[in-house]
């Protein structure tokens, strides 16, 4: 049997005509990167130390600080997950309280577990298309009134789907309550860099902001930055916890990639963003006539659903009965060699960046029009599945860390109803939990999980299809 080697498979894929509508944001285009073996070093003399930067790495991070207008910029070579963990530890006390958006990344839940925090949840508004919408400022206000001891708030904006909340109002509310606001802007590293995209959360009043450069800008996978925008969070605390959660052997290749990315945006951003916005506008105009598919934009949401929207996220909704997001993603991959970022029940997400090429947008538009015509010919009854949403309000019976400490057992779905979940259960991507350890397994939750399986979506956190881990009683 022939052995498969990762380098050979990656080179083969890179040389193919497969087009990446997915991360990383460099879209496999080089920024004149040198031979990695010649530049892969450790902390030798003259090259500084990421955990105590005083020289060239401090200069690089200062360039990031200047680009985004923050007090401090920290390079993260463990991704935004590392920044989320460090930020949560810096802004809370052990066994304290935290208010988070339910659609936060799983790293936030890991921070809650490790810090043994009591979590209070903010649930996003549901949109007419079944996509999770904004966190309402008034919900933040009411939650902080109900839990006055809670002085830490974490929300995700933009979401994986590009939905942006009213950060300015939320920041004002948290400030009035004496709380600290941490915004996970992992999918918005391009925000605030050019007109046509929403403003950076830090400029709108957030105290801490984490951004994944690799998601929407030309930087290597797992590169991110953590920004401090106010004195309410101690810089010493940030450094302390980054020293815990970030590797002690940071990759100079990844740090060089971040520095190159920041320099590229500073020196060539005007031309790159202008071309990018032109291609996005042309694509949306080209696909306006679709009848069985739909490319969503800001105008498809009310302001109550989406305060703002990242037009760089192409959400393509399927409307033909019996034709799912998984069907669309598979057809785009197999017939047109177009790889999407995410597949959901009734839509796919095509992620774009300033490094995309006109060829990619033309190929995607052409493929969608071909599929749309064929769906029309099948005479499907048109429908818009706007009711399905697996992310429902759940009943908390135990804290996350209490449930994690107890023995667990596997049960079939039908036998788990009324029991307490022992695991996180989520679709990945985007990594938003359907169930969190310590929450009651309800009939509605089991129905949602069964619908996920029927739609061909992969559920993580279950031991096998049709079963779930519960707290052993």
């Amino acid at each position: 049997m022939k052995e498969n080697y990762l380098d050979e498979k990656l080179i083969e894929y890179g040389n193919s005509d497969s087009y990446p509508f997915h991360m990383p944001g460099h879209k496999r285009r080089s920024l004149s990167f040198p031979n990695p073996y010649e530049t892969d070093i450790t902390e030798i003399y003259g090259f500084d130390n990421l955990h105590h930067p005083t020289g060239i790495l401090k200069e690089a991070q200062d360039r990031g600080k200047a680009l985004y207008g923050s007090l401090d910029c920290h390079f993260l070579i463990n991704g935004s997950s590392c920044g989320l963990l460090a930020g949560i530890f810096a802004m809370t006390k052990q066994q304290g309280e935290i208010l988070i958006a339910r659609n936060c990344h799983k790293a936030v839940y890991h921070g809650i577990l490790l810090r043994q925090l009591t979590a209070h949840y903010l649930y996003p508004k549901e949109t007419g298309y079944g996509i999770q919408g904004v966190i309402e400022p008034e919900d933040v206000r009411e939650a902080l009134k109900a839990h006055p001891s809670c002085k830490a708030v974490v929300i995700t904006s933009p979401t994986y789907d590009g939905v942006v909340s009213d950060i300015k109002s939320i920041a004002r509310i948290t400030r009035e309550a004496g709380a600290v606001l941490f915004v996970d802007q992992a999918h918005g590293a391009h925000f605030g860099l050019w007109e046509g995209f929403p403003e950076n959360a830090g400029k709108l009043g957030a105290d801490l902001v984490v951004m994944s450069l690799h998601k929407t800008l030309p930087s290597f996978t797992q590169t991110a930055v953590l920004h401090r925008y106010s004195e309410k969070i101690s810089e010493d605390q940030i450094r302390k916890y980054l020293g815990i959660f970030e590797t002690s052997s940071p990759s100079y290749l990844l740090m060089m990639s971040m520095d190159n990315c920041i320099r590229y945006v500073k020196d060539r951003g005007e031309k790159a963003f202008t071309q990018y916005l032109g291609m996005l506008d042309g694509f949306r105009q080209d696909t306006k006539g679709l009848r069985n598919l739909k490319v969503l934009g800001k105008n498809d949401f009310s302001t109550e659903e989406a305060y703002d929207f990242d037009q760089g996220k192409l959400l393509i909704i399927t409307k033909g009965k019996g034709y799912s997001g998984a069907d669309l993603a598979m057809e785009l991959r197999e017939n047109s060699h177009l790889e999407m970022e995410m597949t959901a029940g009734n839509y796919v997400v095509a992620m774009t960046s300033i490094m995309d090429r006109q060829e990619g947008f033309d190929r995607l538009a052409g493929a969608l029009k071909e599929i749309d015509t064929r769906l029309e010919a099948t005479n499907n009854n048109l429908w818009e599945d706007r009711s399905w949403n697996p992310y429902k309000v759940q009943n908390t019976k135990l804290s996350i860390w209490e449930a994690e400490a107890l023995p667990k057992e596997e049960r079939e779905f039908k036998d788990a109803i009324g029991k307490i979940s022992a695991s996180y259960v989520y679709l990945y991507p985007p990594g938003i939990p359907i169930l969190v350890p310590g929450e009651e397994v309800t009939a509605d939750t089991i129905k949602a999980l069964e619908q996920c399986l029927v739609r061909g979506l992969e559920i993580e956190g279950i031991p096998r299809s049709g079963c779930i881990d519960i707290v052993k009683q």
Side-chain angles (χ1 to χ4, degrees):
M1 180 178 178
K2 183 182 181 296
E3 291 186 277
N4 293 311
Y5 293 98
L6 184 56
D7 61 343
E8 294 175 354
K9 190 170 180 63
L10 285 169
I11 292 169
E12 180 185 3
Y13 180 72
N15 290 331
S16 73
D17 69 343
S18 179
Y19 191 89
F21 279 107
H22 56 77
M23 297 182 274
H26 56 67
K27 298 304 184 87
R28 306 205 308 262
R29 298 177 66 185
S30 172
L31 296 186
S32 301
F33 202 79
N35 182 338
Y37 287 99
E38 293 179 350
T39 51
D40 185 19
I41 62 169
T42 187
E43 294 96 333
I44 58 177
Y45 179 80
F47 287 90
D48 213 354
N49 182 333
L50 181 63
H51 291 287
H52 301 284
T54 58
I56 194 167
L57 294 181
K58 182 179 184 302
E59 289 181 30
Q61 292 182 135
D62 283 348
R63 283 190 284 271
K65 177 175 73 173
L67 181 66
Y68 288 101
S70 58
L71 296 179
D72 306 289
C73 171
H74 298 273
F75 281 6
L76 306 175
I77 42 74
N78 292 43
S80 283
S81 296
C82 168
L84 288 168
L85 288 168
I88 287 170
F89 269 68
M91 65 196 291
T92 63
K93 295 180 179 180
Q94 195 73 12
Q95 295 190 359
E97 297 179 64
I98 192 167
L99 178 63
I100 72 166
R102 180 68 182 205
N103 61 342
C104 278
H105 187 268
K106 62 181 181 178
V108 174
Y109 290 87
H110 295 162
I112 291 169
L113 167 66
L114 294 171
R115 201 61 155 155
Q116 297 184 324
L117 302 174
T118 297
H120 309 292
Y121 297 115
L122 297 161
Y123 281 83
K125 296 296 181 185
E126 289 188 33
T127 70
Y129 289 94
I131 294 167
Q132 293 202 313
V134 299
I135 296 298
E136 285 282 4
E138 286 307 309
D139 289 347
V140 177
R141 187 191 303 278
E142 292 304 313
L144 289 174
K145 282 183 180 179
H147 307 286
S149 298
C150 182
K151 299 301 180 183
V153 181
V154 183
I155 69 167
T156 301
S157 179
T159 66
Y160 207 115
D161 297 317
V163 173
V164 178
S165 294
D166 182 358
I167 299 300
K168 188 173 183 178
S169 295
I170 292 172
R172 184 181 67 251
I173 290 167
T174 56
R175 188 164 53 248
E176 291 170 352
V180 175
L181 176 62
F182 189 1
V183 175
D184 178 356
Q185 194 180 291
H187 281 264
H190 58 302
F191 280 19
L193 298 180
W194 196 252
E195 295 179 4
F197 294 100
E199 181 57 277
N200 166 21
K203 296 288 189 68
L204 297 173
D207 301 291
L208 285 176
V209 180
V210 69
M211 307 170 183
S212 289
L213 297 183
H214 75 94
K215 284 182 167 61
T216 59
L217 292 176
S219 192
F220 284 169
T221 296
Q222 82 181 54
T223 57
V225 287
L226 175 63
H227 292 282
R228 186 173 68 103
Y229 280 93
S230 84
E231 299 290 353
K232 288 195 288 183
I233 297 293
S234 163
E235 173 69 357
D236 289 340
Q237 287 291 94
I238 293 291
R239 289 192 181 279
K240 171 184 175 180
Y241 289 112
L242 282 177
I244 294 172
F245 291 111
E246 189 154 44
T247 178
S248 60
S249 300
S251 166
Y252 274 82
L253 299 178
L254 297 182
M255 292 187 287
M256 178 168 51
S257 175
M258 286 187 271
D259 197 23
N260 283 353
C261 172
I262 290 167
R263 180 168 55 180
Y264 180 87
V265 172
K266 177 178 176 292
D267 294 344
R268 300 165 63 183
E270 179 176 357
K271 180 179 178 181
F273 274 104
T274 300
Q275 290 178 340
Y276 176 41
L277 286 166
M279 289 187 293
L280 284 172
D281 183 64
F283 173 81
R284 291 185 180 278
Q285 291 295 327
D286 199 15
T287 55
K288 266 189 174 181
L290 297 176
R291 291 171 53 84
N292 301 289
L293 302 171
K294 182 178 178 65
V295 181
L296 297 184
K298 181 177 180 179
N299 293 335
D300 292 300
F301 301 98
S302 68
T303 54
E304 290 75 23
E305 294 174 331
Y307 178 78
D308 207 342
F309 185 75
D310 176 10
Q311 62 174 309
K313 285 289 180 68
L314 304 179
L315 275 59
I316 307 164
I317 295 283
T318 66
K319 299 194 292 183
K321 188 173 183 179
Y323 192 74
S324 67
D327 294 328
L328 177 58
M330 180 179 66
E331 190 162 352
L332 288 171
R333 178 187 307 114
E334 294 184 356
N335 297 343
S336 303
H337 303 168
L338 300 168
E339 190 67 41
M340 299 296 104
E341 166 65 25
M342 187 188 79
T343 301
N346 66 324
Y347 68 99
V348 300
V349 176
M351 186 175 281
T352 68
S353 84
I354 56 174
M355 301 302 288
D356 270 295
R357 305 186 302 275
Q358 187 63 54
E359 173 219 345
F361 288 108
D362 290 344
R363 284 173 58 184
L364 180 57
L368 293 177
K369 285 188 278 190
E370 286 181 13
I371 294 170
D372 191 69
T373 300
R374 180 174 51 73
L375 289 175
E376 186 78 30
T378 62
N379 197 27
N380 281 334
N381 294 320
L382 296 186
W383 71 315
E384 291 184 4
D385 187 356
R386 300 185 174 202
S387 60
W388 183 72
N389 180 5
Y391 306 108
K392 301 292 185 182
V393 176
Q394 304 289 2
N395 302 318
T396 299
K397 298 295 185 180
L398 297 171
S399 70
I400 294 174
W401 56 275
E402 287 173 331
E404 287 270 11
L406 295 172
K408 65 182 180 181
E409 61 182 348
E410 180 183 317
R411 291 284 184 91
E412 292 186 1
F413 279 172
K414 60 183 177 63
D415 296 326
I417 295 173
K419 309 299 183 183
I420 298 174
S421 175
S423 302
Y424 296 94
V425 180
Y426 52 85
L427 303 175
Y428 196 86
I432 300 167
I434 297 171
L435 268 177
V436 167
E439 293 179 340
E440 181 183 2
V441 181
T442 66
D444 284 345
T445 302
I446 293 300
K447 182 179 179 182
L449 294 177
E450 289 172 339
Q451 287 179 326
C452 290
L453 292 173
V454 167
R455 293 163 186 260
L457 304 178
E458 292 188 11
I459 304 172
E460 293 197 19
I462 59 176
R464 55 193 175 92
S465 183
C467 293
I468 193 169
D469 286 328
I470 63 163
V471 172
K472 189 173 183 178
Q473 297 175 327

